Amino acid sequence: MPPYPRPRLRPIALLILAVLCSLLVGACGGAGGSSTGKVTISYLTHWSGPQVDQLKQAIRAYEKLHPQVAIQVRTVPFGNLLTTIMTQGGSASGPTIMGIYNLWLPQLVQDGLVAEAPTAFAQDIQQAYPQNVVSAVQVDGKTYGYPNEVDLYALNYNKALFREAGITAPPTTWSELISDALKLTKRDSSGKIVQQGFGVITSWNSGVVHPWLSLMNSDGGQLLGSNHQPLLTSQAALDTANLYYQLIFRDKVTDPAMGQANASTTGPYLDNFVAGKTAMIIMANWWESNLRAGMGERFNDVGTAPIPVGPHGSGSHSVSYSWSTVVSANADPAQQEAAWQFLQWLNGPQSGQRGSSAMGDILMGMGILPSRTSDLSAHQAELDTPFIKTYVQQLKNSIPFPTVLGGDELTTSLQKTLEALMYGQSSPQQAMAQAQSNLSQILSRYYA
């Protein structure tokens, strides 16, 4: 899911909030309940319904094992999650544990709202998860949370349309992608596309940027260099811009008007694939439930494949993005210690069923891909399905979207530049030059 616009409190405002709240807490005997010898912590999440019930069930099991700890669950809608963290996280009485979208992490670290993982827990995290997942919970080499959900992209295609067009396998290279898209495109008597060979997404920042970037990664490129400088004038970036230009304007096998998003996760881009009017599209694993609901028995015609490799690429490399649970830097030391111990248990193989962690079981209950290596093994049978197994296999090759200050602003800026390209308002060269300039200006405000 994409992040909402990020509110920001100045450090002095956070300091005032922390002082006021600490005075109130002191007058009431302490938020952690230390007068009774029991530590009380809270867990803030945007989950709802069955997922919260599963979390509470895990908490009850933990509290039986650790009667000196009490854990309260706080829930807010996703649209209010970041605002709640920013406004309450500076207080000792704010949430102790917080579920976050990792793109927010650098700002939360800068604002002093999340605690660095103590050495023992940082080592546990680094050993239990793939390195590309661990890097998404790190800022300047320091580890700040336990990873949980991970999402990445793959080529989704309609096998029934492929059979009709005489295509026996999904494309593995860009040249095959273009060739297949030409065979899969249909037009009416006026020349208007009624079935597009390859679909793009518009009107949603992550939906525009992540598929495009997955193709660029698979041509040997990357979004940012090690010095936080954009690399959008590279050969790979220009190759990918030219690929979009060819699909839309030269070969006319892609119609951006068929790819509009509504409220980020629904809209014509989904409807046209469900209706068989889009033969191929690059999309994340989480939309499986949307496809099943919309297609019914026809869902069996949905195939998934790795991102096709570009002319300068050495392999398929999807973009990935992830979530994690972090601990408040403003909770008292006893609460922080209790929080880290609970998170280690919640994400450990002893807390769930048949070798899975409780967190892995919760995520699988939502149809979401867990990121812990042991959870992937524990749920191997459930994950070995025609749709999802491609995502699992490609996880090790995925490249996390950069977790940098200004990440959401950066994504939206690149979205606008790519949409200008897709709607014929700029050439590939102009689009990449503009994107390089825009992103450089954004990042220069955060990194000297």
Side-chain angles (χ1 to χ4, degrees):
M1 297 286 288
Y4 280 66
R6 173 179 50 78
R8 184 176 180 183
L9 287 179
R10 295 182 181 277
I12 186 64
L14 292 171
L15 178 60
I16 292 171
L17 273 174
V19 171
L20 289 174
C21 291
S22 63
L23 289 172
L24 289 171
V25 169
C28 296
S34 57
S35 62
T36 66
K38 193 167 189 174
V39 178
T40 300
I41 61 177
S42 59
Y43 190 124
L44 177 67
T45 179
H46 67 289
W47 293 342
S48 61
Q51 289 73 48
V52 172
D53 292 339
Q54 283 183 278
L55 177 61
K56 288 181 177 179
Q57 183 179 357
I59 287 172
R60 287 193 295 269
Y62 185 80
E63 289 175 335
K64 287 182 180 180
L65 296 171
H66 304 272
Q68 77 281 10
V69 178
I71 305 172
Q72 303 168 346
V73 177
R74 305 182 188 181
T75 63
V76 295
F78 177 70
N80 297 337
L81 179 59
L82 184 55
T83 302
T84 302
I85 293 171
M86 298 294 286
T87 55
Q88 297 183 13
S91 166
S93 62
T96 320
I97 298 172
M98 300 167 286
I100 69 165
Y101 177 43
N102 287 332
L103 195 63
W104 304 337
L105 183 61
Q107 186 65 55
L108 297 178
V109 170
Q110 184 181 72
D111 289 346
L113 297 180
V114 296
E116 181 184 353
T119 301
F121 300 101
Q123 291 175 345
D124 180 41
I125 293 164
Q126 291 162 15
Q127 293 168 3
Y129 297 84
Q131 180 53 45
N132 55 355
V133 172
V134 173
S135 67
V137 297
Q138 292 180 324
V139 176
D140 296 330
K142 298 177 180 179
T143 304
Y144 286 91
Y146 271 87
N148 46 62
E149 171 185 349
V150 63
D151 298 280
L152 65 156
Y153 288 77
L155 182 73
N156 286 209
Y157 64 100
N158 188 313
K159 292 186 285 187
L161 299 183
F162 269 56
R163 288 193 297 269
E164 181 184 322
I167 304 171
T168 58
T172 60
T173 65
W174 288 10
S175 60
E176 291 176 359
L177 174 70
I178 294 168
S179 175
D180 289 348
L182 284 165
K183 297 174 185 176
L184 290 159
T185 300
K186 296 180 180 179
R187 298 175 176 83
D188 62 16
S189 58
S190 67
K192 179 182 178 182
I193 293 176
V194 294
Q195 177 181 299
Q196 58 178 346
F198 179 80
V200 294
I201 302 172
T202 63
S203 309
W204 162 28
N205 62 1
S206 297
V208 172
V209 172
H210 288 177
W212 185 88
L213 190 54
S214 294
L215 286 164
M216 188 178 83
N217 289 345
S218 299
D219 192 39
Q222 58 186 41
L223 181 60
L224 302 180
S226 58
N227 58 352
H228 298 112
Q229 288 298 309
L231 300 175
L232 292 173
T233 53
S234 67
Q235 183 63 55
L238 188 58
D239 283 348
T240 315
N242 276 315
L243 173 65
Y244 269 41
Y245 191 85
Q246 178 171 354
L247 292 168
I248 297 168
F249 298 106
R250 293 182 192 144
D251 294 337
K252 296 181 173 59
V253 295
T254 298
D255 181 1
M258 297 176 70
Q260 293 176 348
N262 179 15
S264 297
T265 58
T266 58
Y269 85 91
L270 169 65
D271 299 339
N272 282 314
F273 189 88
V274 167
K277 296 179 181 179
T278 297
M280 293 184 284
I281 194 168
I282 293 173
M283 190 49 187
N285 49 282
W286 56 258
W287 85 326
E288 179 184 9
S289 59
N290 299 40
L291 295 181
R292 285 186 180 276
M295 299 182 75
E297 292 183 359
R298 291 186 298 110
F299 177 77
N300 293 327
D301 286 328
V302 179
T304 58
I307 303 296
V309 179
H312 298 98
S314 58
S316 180
H317 297 286
S318 166
V319 166
S320 64
Y321 62 98
S322 56
W323 289 71
S324 63
T325 38
V326 298
V327 174
S328 170
N330 295 296
D332 69 43
Q335 289 176 306
Q336 289 191 37
E337 177 65 19
W340 285 114
Q341 290 180 358
F342 170 66
L343 287 178
Q344 184 179 45
W345 177 87
L346 182 70
N347 292 278
Q350 74 282 2
S351 62
Q353 303 293 320
R354 300 179 299 279
S356 171
S357 70
M359 177 61 77
D361 288 338
I362 293 170
L363 294 173
M364 287 298 297
M366 291 188 277
I368 292 174
L369 192 64
S371 57
R372 188 181 177 100
T373 303
S374 58
D375 286 339
L376 293 171
S377 297
H379 291 281
Q380 183 176 359
E382 300 160 78
L383 294 169
D384 190 24
T385 65
F387 183 89
I388 204 68
K389 65 181 180 181
T390 298
Y391 293 96
V392 177
Q393 292 167 354
Q394 292 301 307
L395 180 60
K396 64 181 181 297
N397 300 319
S398 67
I399 299 176
F401 190 87
T403 50
V404 294
L405 292 166
D408 187 54
E409 184 182 1
L410 177 154
T411 305
T412 300
S413 176
L414 184 53
Q415 170 204 356
K416 293 178 179 178
T417 306
L418 291 174
E419 287 180 337
L421 169 67
M422 288 189 279
Y423 286 109
Q425 297 164 358
S426 63
S427 69
Q429 293 83 357
Q430 291 169 334
M432 292 302 96
Q434 188 65 59
Q436 179 74 15
S437 176
N438 292 346
L439 269 60
S440 295
Q441 291 179 32
I442 292 169
L443 291 165
S444 68
R445 297 201 296 268
Y446 298 99
Y447 300 98

